[in-house]
């Protein structure tokens, strides 16, 4: 792997947790994995294909990455956060309901169409849903080479080890039986 | 209000959204609002009292803040994130179950006692619960003068305008009736 | 206009040179201007349509932006730099020769096809050229809300006031008559 | 040891001078060393117990730390700086005279009581003194995992090798005999 | 005044506490005040002439500044810190004993001659002394447009209002009479 | 090699691509290589001698560096950028025409004399030329320990592998024969 600063430094090192190579080629800055649609035949009807420093070694220290999001009709990219990045989404095709929620619990939402852009501030919960009849595809830019993603429902109800029923029941004001049902469905 | 850089700059300005005063006194760097216990007679049995740039004008540009968290026996500071800060918590009294969830959906959790410390990485979902028989009190340091807080359940089920039932039902794999029940309870 | 930090701050302020509004709507985070192809009927056969804080007020403090680049067959986005951003480019359609030059004067270059990604480190000279027979369209993510662009040939040979013939002649090892010819063409 | 970014990266690396482990447990984010009072039976009547990345491996890259400061009656935490952090101090018990000095040589000072907060801007000389009749205890948050501390008198009069008498005599406008007396006392 | 970001932004704003003008000229990036020697006929035999954003409006947001330091024979630039900058010093003429003290109280020191460079890490106490028979002149680069300076002896013994005799006496292990003598000399 | 953070950390590590030593001496913060004039007997009549982390191991993490620039009469430091630093230039002797070009293609230029300062914003194309009859010498401060330099003409016309004639011909509106002539001269 290679990093930006290393473009002028001839020594092998490690940075940000990624090994850096003493030499590099154009392929270290290239990725072809977003060319094809991701499979959306899952319970949510959506899939995210990342293009960050895990896939593109040359991104190390560059502070930017991308992702492709495919949506079946009705597909949902469920509420999630990126702990280390803001996001700017360009809708390649289809139609999406998009939204983020502020720290004052205000939902900022609208419907966007092909070719339109919406932005999601760093660290805030956000989601996108395809309410159209055809698939939708989006490309997002993120200002971190390793933005991270935390899908809210999964992180709370399908963590390992599990978050206690009591914590979840009180947080969502449901009973522990309902918690267990959600857990069993999200673990599937 | 006053900011750090202004300590040597004689002009009135605004920075980071906060007005800066051309002069200042020690009281701009002081706050007494954490001295008394917060009231925990709410449904969660916990309350957070912040001490950030909203309360302490002199914190502007200093990149640090605090908060006091009071817990009744059984009280829960429910799953939440700070989009702009890591947190380090010192337990003044009592006993807490603490935990955060990684982007790989791993729950990192333990029980801490009086005088002990636990840390929560920037932007990750975390919570604390008092499983003891006496009240618990914690003091947290955060590396932002304006860390922000997003309480997960409230932000999803009690936003204004509301997040659609359909998004929440699919995200948590529950039916819309259950969504409405949670919404009505969390809005109360 | 609105900024990220203001999502929880009720005061009108200015930040990073952009006025911030005390209230905001979803449209402050939206932009529709990349939906249609830009006109490529110019001497270079390419056009860049930006989507940064100038177009999207809500991007202020978010540290990210986008741009759409349209290329006629043979069109060139000529050598340029972004003084404040790294770039990650996704090719929507067509085929591009892409390249950047390191501080060691190494050209890092390859040909990318529809759906493929290439990255350009912050501040380094780079370019893209459509060597195909059909138009090409790219979407780029940049890690600044105000990345800036400096087109090398224009900045040197079409600045106001002009860079002296002598500086340009010596830098490019050409005579001043050649400098004047380039100047007259690039000024057109 | 472990770092924040590594929560989603499966490779062993080193960052910021700290080794990172490929796996981690909750104990990497925990510290119990502030639970008991530090011993204040020294010439200054105060002691600082740190809780930073040296004690808590998981703090690496998190940008935050804590410290406990114990004061005997009359005890002084003498003038010092943190080259890499601002500080926010919460007084657990007792009463303190606190102060920092600006770059314009203005002393910003006041007396704080149990439960009150005072803040110290990054890099500025500051101190705390217990002018009460009972011990005082404070907990500080700092916005660096490795804030560093430079105790002014010790750094100038007890450095190894020593700062020359002449430099210190001129800086403090004392004679070299007085310098030597201070040196001998502070070295003790 | 003008700032870097404003080079492409046509609106009048304020940033970092400095007003920004909607237009600018080359003189906003120029300063002639370091051309002549500063007067060293003071008790320390040295004088610092700054060239930062206070003198050069265009430096706002650029993150760099300079200073000229003139030394009479024997002149001392006494122990001080820059809370917001590292420093790299180039000796124009003469000879200097230079040193900084680490957070481990290690003095890092040497003698440098004309044309030589020494560096001082951000926030650490450092000093320079001309032990030669002729004047010395140095030019320093600092990585902040507003580095700030805190002269240790002055900040402790000549602050307004004064730091209490008791604090200083205990910190330096001297009696309050000696404190008062230093105070009276440094206030002069 | 050694880094700033390591001043208080006893472990050998690597940071920013530079190895760090567990111990260090003053010489790690020293450099003597700018004391003598660089040789200007080249086609441009100028030479830059760097003093950054490559030459001064102790600069690692300090975020600052210097360079000496020598100019023969008529000598030109040709248009170039620093992708990672702003620059502040102090003219030791002689007279220089200096300039930078904004992202709006405005040339900001003036003539400076001995002892005067001019500044160059991060990432923007800039140059200096000695239009006097005697040699000129400048010392620059830069706000990065590894600022990098990209000489525009060299990077475009003398890269390895070469930038295609077609790209350069279209960018500069010249024919490919002229491109080849420039390439052959700049490769010399």
């Amino acid at each position: 792997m290679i990093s930006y600063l290393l473009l002028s430094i001839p020594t092998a090192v490690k940075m940000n947790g990624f090994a850096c190579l003493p030499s590099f080629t154009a392929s270290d800055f290239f990725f072809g994995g977003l060319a094809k649609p991701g499979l959306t035949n899952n319970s949510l009807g959506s899939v995210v294909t990342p293009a960050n420093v895990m896939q593109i070694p040359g991104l190390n220290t560059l502070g930017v990455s991308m992702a492709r999001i495919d949506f079946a009709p009705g597909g949902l990219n469920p509420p999630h956060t990126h702990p280390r990045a803001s996001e700017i989404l360009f809708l390649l095709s289809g139609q999406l309901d998009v939204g983020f929620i502020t720290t004052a619990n205000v939902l900022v939402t609208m419907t966007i169409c092909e070719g339109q852009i919406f932005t999601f501030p760093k660290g805030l919960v956000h989601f996108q849903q395809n309410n159209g009849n055809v698939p939708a595809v989006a490309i997002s830019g993120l200002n971190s080479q390793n933005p991270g993603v935390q899908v809210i429902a999964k992180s709370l109800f399908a963590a390992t080890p599990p978050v206690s029923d009591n914590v979840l029941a009180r947080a969502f004001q449901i009973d522990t039986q309902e918690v267990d049902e959600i857990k069993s469905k999200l673990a599937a």
Side-chain angles (χ1 to χ4, degrees), chain A residues 72-89:
Chain A
L76 173 69
N77 187 13
H80 63 282
T81 64
H82 304 294
R84 292 183 289 274
S86 294
E87 178 178 351
I88 183 165
L89 179 148

PDB file of all heavy atoms in Angstrom, chain A residues 72-89:
ATOM      1  N   ALA A  72     -33.428  -1.517  -4.540  1.00  0.00           N
ATOM      2  CA  ALA A  72     -34.573  -2.093  -5.248  1.00  0.00           C
ATOM      3  C   ALA A  72     -35.754  -1.126  -5.086  1.00  0.00           C
ATOM      4  O   ALA A  72     -35.707  -0.241  -4.230  1.00  0.00           O
ATOM      5  CB  ALA A  72     -34.908  -3.461  -4.648  1.00  0.00           C
ATOM      6  N   PRO A  73     -36.789  -1.294  -5.910  1.00  0.00           N
ATOM      7  CA  PRO A  73     -37.982  -0.482  -5.639  1.00  0.00           C
ATOM      8  C   PRO A  73     -38.424  -0.709  -4.193  1.00  0.00           C
ATOM      9  O   PRO A  73     -38.509  -1.861  -3.734  1.00  0.00           O
ATOM     10  CB  PRO A  73     -39.005  -1.036  -6.633  1.00  0.00           C
ATOM     11  CG  PRO A  73     -38.183  -1.585  -7.764  1.00  0.00           C
ATOM     12  CD  PRO A  73     -36.947  -2.145  -7.100  1.00  0.00           C
ATOM     13  N   GLY A  74     -38.648   0.359  -3.467  1.00  0.00           N
ATOM     14  CA  GLY A  74     -39.006   0.257  -2.063  1.00  0.00           C
ATOM     15  C   GLY A  74     -37.825   0.036  -1.133  1.00  0.00           C
ATOM     16  O   GLY A  74     -37.999   0.009   0.088  1.00  0.00           O
ATOM     17  N   GLY A  75     -36.650  -0.110  -1.691  1.00  0.00           N
ATOM     18  CA  GLY A  75     -35.477  -0.420  -0.863  1.00  0.00           C
ATOM     19  C   GLY A  75     -35.097   0.704   0.083  1.00  0.00           C
ATOM     20  O   GLY A  75     -35.275   1.885  -0.227  1.00  0.00           O
ATOM     21  N   LEU A  76     -34.582   0.322   1.232  1.00  0.00           N
ATOM     22  CA  LEU A  76     -34.224   1.289   2.279  1.00  0.00           C
ATOM     23  C   LEU A  76     -32.768   1.123   2.690  1.00  0.00           C
ATOM     24  O   LEU A  76     -32.333   0.022   3.033  1.00  0.00           O
ATOM     25  CB  LEU A  76     -35.106   1.051   3.518  1.00  0.00           C
ATOM     26  CG  LEU A  76     -34.751   1.864   4.775  1.00  0.00           C
ATOM     27  CD1 LEU A  76     -35.067   3.343   4.577  1.00  0.00           C
ATOM     28  CD2 LEU A  76     -35.500   1.316   5.996  1.00  0.00           C
ATOM     29  N   ASN A  77     -32.002   2.217   2.647  1.00  0.00           N
ATOM     30  CA  ASN A  77     -30.703   2.264   3.320  1.00  0.00           C
ATOM     31  C   ASN A  77     -31.028   2.796   4.705  1.00  0.00           C
ATOM     32  O   ASN A  77     -31.270   3.989   4.876  1.00  0.00           O
ATOM     33  CB  ASN A  77     -29.740   3.171   2.568  1.00  0.00           C
ATOM     34  CG  ASN A  77     -28.326   3.117   3.135  1.00  0.00           C
ATOM     35  OD1 ASN A  77     -28.007   2.238   3.932  1.00  0.00           O
ATOM     36  ND2 ASN A  77     -27.489   4.055   2.736  1.00  0.00           N
ATOM     37  N   PRO A  78     -31.065   1.911   5.701  1.00  0.00           N
ATOM     38  CA  PRO A  78     -31.702   2.257   6.969  1.00  0.00           C
ATOM     39  C   PRO A  78     -30.897   3.287   7.770  1.00  0.00           C
ATOM     40  O   PRO A  78     -29.711   3.507   7.495  1.00  0.00           O
ATOM     41  CB  PRO A  78     -31.755   0.919   7.696  1.00  0.00           C
ATOM     42  CG  PRO A  78     -30.613   0.148   7.169  1.00  0.00           C
ATOM     43  CD  PRO A  78     -30.441   0.577   5.732  1.00  0.00           C
ATOM     44  N   PRO A  79     -31.524   3.905   8.763  1.00  0.00           N
ATOM     45  CA  PRO A  79     -30.854   4.943   9.555  1.00  0.00           C
ATOM     46  C   PRO A  79     -29.472   4.492  10.047  1.00  0.00           C
ATOM     47  O   PRO A  79     -29.347   3.420  10.655  1.00  0.00           O
ATOM     48  CB  PRO A  79     -31.830   5.159  10.721  1.00  0.00           C
ATOM     49  CG  PRO A  79     -33.178   4.884  10.115  1.00  0.00           C
ATOM     50  CD  PRO A  79     -32.934   3.737   9.162  1.00  0.00           C
ATOM     51  N   HIS A  80     -28.478   5.313   9.770  1.00  0.00           N
ATOM     52  CA  HIS A  80     -27.096   4.994  10.148  1.00  0.00           C
ATOM     53  C   HIS A  80     -26.308   6.286  10.305  1.00  0.00           C
ATOM     54  O   HIS A  80     -26.771   7.367   9.941  1.00  0.00           O
ATOM     55  CB  HIS A  80     -26.455   4.098   9.079  1.00  0.00           C
ATOM     56  CG  HIS A  80     -26.337   4.741   7.734  1.00  0.00           C
ATOM     57  ND1 HIS A  80     -27.410   4.860   6.868  1.00  0.00           N
ATOM     58  CD2 HIS A  80     -25.293   5.333   7.092  1.00  0.00           C
ATOM     59  CE1 HIS A  80     -27.030   5.469   5.751  1.00  0.00           C
ATOM     60  NE2 HIS A  80     -25.750   5.771   5.865  1.00  0.00           N
ATOM     61  N   THR A  81     -25.102   6.144  10.861  1.00  0.00           N
ATOM     62  CA  THR A  81     -24.186   7.293  10.970  1.00  0.00           C
ATOM     63  C   THR A  81     -22.830   6.912  10.390  1.00  0.00           C
ATOM     64  O   THR A  81     -22.483   5.729  10.308  1.00  0.00           O
ATOM     65  CB  THR A  81     -23.954   7.714  12.436  1.00  0.00           C
ATOM     66  OG1 THR A  81     -23.303   6.639  13.126  1.00  0.00           O
ATOM     67  CG2 THR A  81     -25.256   8.056  13.139  1.00  0.00           C
ATOM     68  N   HIS A  82     -22.084   7.935  10.000  1.00  0.00           N
ATOM     69  CA  HIS A  82     -20.660   7.772   9.694  1.00  0.00           C
ATOM     70  C   HIS A  82     -19.904   8.548  10.760  1.00  0.00           C
ATOM     71  O   HIS A  82     -19.914   9.782  10.745  1.00  0.00           O
ATOM     72  CB  HIS A  82     -20.337   8.307   8.291  1.00  0.00           C
ATOM     73  CG  HIS A  82     -21.150   7.676   7.216  1.00  0.00           C
ATOM     74  ND1 HIS A  82     -21.033   6.352   6.880  1.00  0.00           N
ATOM     75  CD2 HIS A  82     -22.127   8.166   6.424  1.00  0.00           C
ATOM     76  CE1 HIS A  82     -21.892   6.065   5.913  1.00  0.00           C
ATOM     77  NE2 HIS A  82     -22.578   7.139   5.614  1.00  0.00           N
ATOM     78  N   PRO A  83     -19.245   7.858  11.675  1.00  0.00           N
ATOM     79  CA  PRO A  83     -18.609   8.591  12.781  1.00  0.00           C
ATOM     80  C   PRO A  83     -17.470   9.505  12.347  1.00  0.00           C
ATOM     81  O   PRO A  83     -17.090  10.397  13.102  1.00  0.00           O
ATOM     82  CB  PRO A  83     -18.101   7.478  13.708  1.00  0.00           C
ATOM     83  CG  PRO A  83     -18.099   6.226  12.903  1.00  0.00           C
ATOM     84  CD  PRO A  83     -19.141   6.397  11.829  1.00  0.00           C
ATOM     85  N   ARG A  84     -16.926   9.321  11.151  1.00  0.00           N
ATOM     86  CA  ARG A  84     -15.747  10.098  10.758  1.00  0.00           C
ATOM     87  C   ARG A  84     -15.919  10.863   9.447  1.00  0.00           C
ATOM     88  O   ARG A  84     -14.917  11.275   8.855  1.00  0.00           O
ATOM     89  CB  ARG A  84     -14.537   9.147  10.630  1.00  0.00           C
ATOM     90  CG  ARG A  84     -14.072   8.554  11.932  1.00  0.00           C
ATOM     91  CD  ARG A  84     -12.832   7.681  11.779  1.00  0.00           C
ATOM     92  NE  ARG A  84     -13.089   6.427  11.094  1.00  0.00           N
ATOM     93  CZ  ARG A  84     -13.508   5.299  11.672  1.00  0.00           C
ATOM     94  NH1 ARG A  84     -13.729   5.266  12.971  1.00  0.00           N
ATOM     95  NH2 ARG A  84     -13.718   4.208  10.981  1.00  0.00           N
ATOM     96  N   ALA A  85     -17.155  11.081   8.961  1.00  0.00           N
ATOM     97  CA  ALA A  85     -17.283  11.743   7.650  1.00  0.00           C
ATOM     98  C   ALA A  85     -18.647  12.389   7.449  1.00  0.00           C
ATOM     99  O   ALA A  85     -19.668  11.873   7.903  1.00  0.00           O
ATOM    100  CB  ALA A  85     -17.040  10.737   6.531  1.00  0.00           C
ATOM    101  N   SER A  86     -18.636  13.529   6.744  1.00  0.00           N
ATOM    102  CA  SER A  86     -19.831  14.064   6.100  1.00  0.00           C
ATOM    103  C   SER A  86     -19.998  13.353   4.758  1.00  0.00           C
ATOM    104  O   SER A  86     -19.047  12.784   4.219  1.00  0.00           O
ATOM    105  CB  SER A  86     -19.694  15.573   5.846  1.00  0.00           C
ATOM    106  OG  SER A  86     -19.636  16.289   7.050  1.00  0.00           O
ATOM    107  N   GLU A  87     -21.220  13.402   4.210  1.00  0.00           N
ATOM    108  CA  GLU A  87     -21.513  12.692   2.960  1.00  0.00           C
ATOM    109  C   GLU A  87     -22.248  13.618   2.003  1.00  0.00           C
ATOM    110  O   GLU A  87     -23.105  14.398   2.409  1.00  0.00           O
ATOM    111  CB  GLU A  87     -22.386  11.464   3.285  1.00  0.00           C
ATOM    112  CG  GLU A  87     -22.806  10.660   2.067  1.00  0.00           C
ATOM    113  CD  GLU A  87     -23.630   9.418   2.441  1.00  0.00           C
ATOM    114  OE1 GLU A  87     -23.728   9.103   3.643  1.00  0.00           O
ATOM    115  OE2 GLU A  87     -24.174   8.770   1.521  1.00  0.00           O
ATOM    116  N   ILE A  88     -21.899  13.523   0.712  1.00  0.00           N
ATOM    117  CA  ILE A  88     -22.632  14.232  -0.338  1.00  0.00           C
ATOM    118  C   ILE A  88     -23.038  13.199  -1.373  1.00  0.00           C
ATOM    119  O   ILE A  88     -22.200  12.488  -1.927  1.00  0.00           O
ATOM    120  CB  ILE A  88     -21.804  15.401  -0.924  1.00  0.00           C
ATOM    121  CG1 ILE A  88     -22.605  16.165  -1.971  1.00  0.00           C
ATOM    122  CG2 ILE A  88     -20.469  14.959  -1.450  1.00  0.00           C
ATOM    123  CD1 ILE A  88     -22.014  17.526  -2.327  1.00  0.00           C
ATOM    124  N   LEU A  89     -24.352  13.067  -1.586  1.00  0.00           N
ATOM    125  CA  LEU A  89     -24.915  11.978  -2.403  1.00  0.00           C
ATOM    126  C   LEU A  89     -25.439  12.502  -3.727  1.00  0.00           C
ATOM    127  O   LEU A  89     -26.201  13.477  -3.753  1.00  0.00           O
ATOM    128  CB  LEU A  89     -26.033  11.292  -1.611  1.00  0.00           C
ATOM    129  CG  LEU A  89     -26.783  10.137  -2.270  1.00  0.00           C
ATOM    130  CD1 LEU A  89     -27.221   9.133  -1.221  1.00  0.00           C
ATOM    131  CD2 LEU A  89     -27.997  10.620  -3.076  1.00  0.00           C
TER     132      LEU A  89
END
